[in-house]
Amino acid sequence: MTTRLSLFNSPLLLGFDQFERTLDRIAKNSAEGYPPYNIEQIGDDGLRITLAVAGFTSDDLSVQIEDNQLVIRGRQTDDKSRVYLHRGIAARQFQRSFVLAEGIEVVGCSLDNGLLNIDLTRPMPEPKVRTIKIEQPKKTAAGAMPRTIDVSADGRDD
């Protein structure tokens, strides 16, 4: 049995279990090496992911968003009518995934000269400030405020 050390074990970090699962997915996907890709900053709020998918047509590729994850799949089919004397370029399939932060949207996708470009926008969030009302303790039926009774270690009320 292996014990896994979590970065989010602190009691001060509440509700970060989703981030932990996201980091696990990223670590699993980082081992994949095909197809190679670039991520570029386009303007102030734009990103572009470019994948090198030479030999794939737009019919061979699919781009989907699944649970805040951008998933690109490629599947080539063998052309049975061709007779190869040497085959150094294999028809291969792939799946490449990118975890998207909350609010990132895909705004476009294009295939040009063997490069699949996926454009994303990252809208800047508006800063939010919310005041939480501090409520007073409720009065009992007799109209008195509830009180705290301290009990000492010897069992007597003080």
Side-chain angles (χ1 to χ4, degrees):
M1 182 170 116
T2 61
T3 303
R4 192 168 157 273
L5 179 63
S6 173
L7 299 172
F8 301 101
N9 278 345
S10 171
L12 301 176
L13 299 173
L14 301 175
F16 283 88
D17 51 333
Q18 178 64 32
F19 289 114
E20 190 170 15
R21 286 192 294 272
T22 300
L23 289 173
D24 288 342
R25 277 192 293 185
I26 291 169
K28 185 185 98 173
N29 289 337
S30 65
E32 301 171 4
Y34 182 79
Y37 65 92
N38 292 335
I39 301 176
E40 306 171 59
Q41 178 80 39
I42 307 293
D44 290 335
D45 61 351
L47 298 170
R48 175 174 289 157
I49 299 173
T50 303
L51 285 88
V53 291
F56 287 85
T57 66
S58 59
D59 293 333
D60 297 332
L61 299 167
S62 75
V63 179
Q64 298 175 327
I65 296 177
E66 302 171 2
D67 297 326
N68 280 3
Q69 202 167 6
L70 177 66
V71 181
I72 301 102
R73 291 182 180 93
R75 165 168 271 158
Q76 291 177 317
T77 55
D78 282 332
D79 185 359
K80 303 295 183 192
S81 65
R82 291 185 175 184
V83 176
Y84 294 98
L85 300 177
H86 170 75
R87 183 147 188 199
I89 304 171
R92 90 193 265 195
Q93 56 186 344
F94 70 87
Q95 176 175 316
R96 172 69 76 177
S97 300
F98 299 91
V99 177
L100 301 178
E102 199 69 36
I104 290 190
E105 299 175 11
V106 176
V107 294
C109 186
S110 63
L111 181 63
D112 183 33
N113 292 324
L115 297 175
L116 178 67
N117 297 304
I118 303 167
D119 292 326
L120 309 162
T121 186
R122 178 180 45 190
M124 295 300 173
E126 303 262 339
K128 294 180 183 178
V129 176
R130 192 176 97 185
T131 303
I132 311 299
K133 181 182 175 187
I134 301 172
E135 295 186 17
Q136 296 296 321
K138 305 222 187 286
K139 293 184 179 183
T140 63
M145 298 293 284
R147 62 187 186 116
T148 303
I149 300 173
D150 291 328
V151 178
S152 64
D154 60 3
R156 294 182 303 152
D157 289 344
D158 289 336

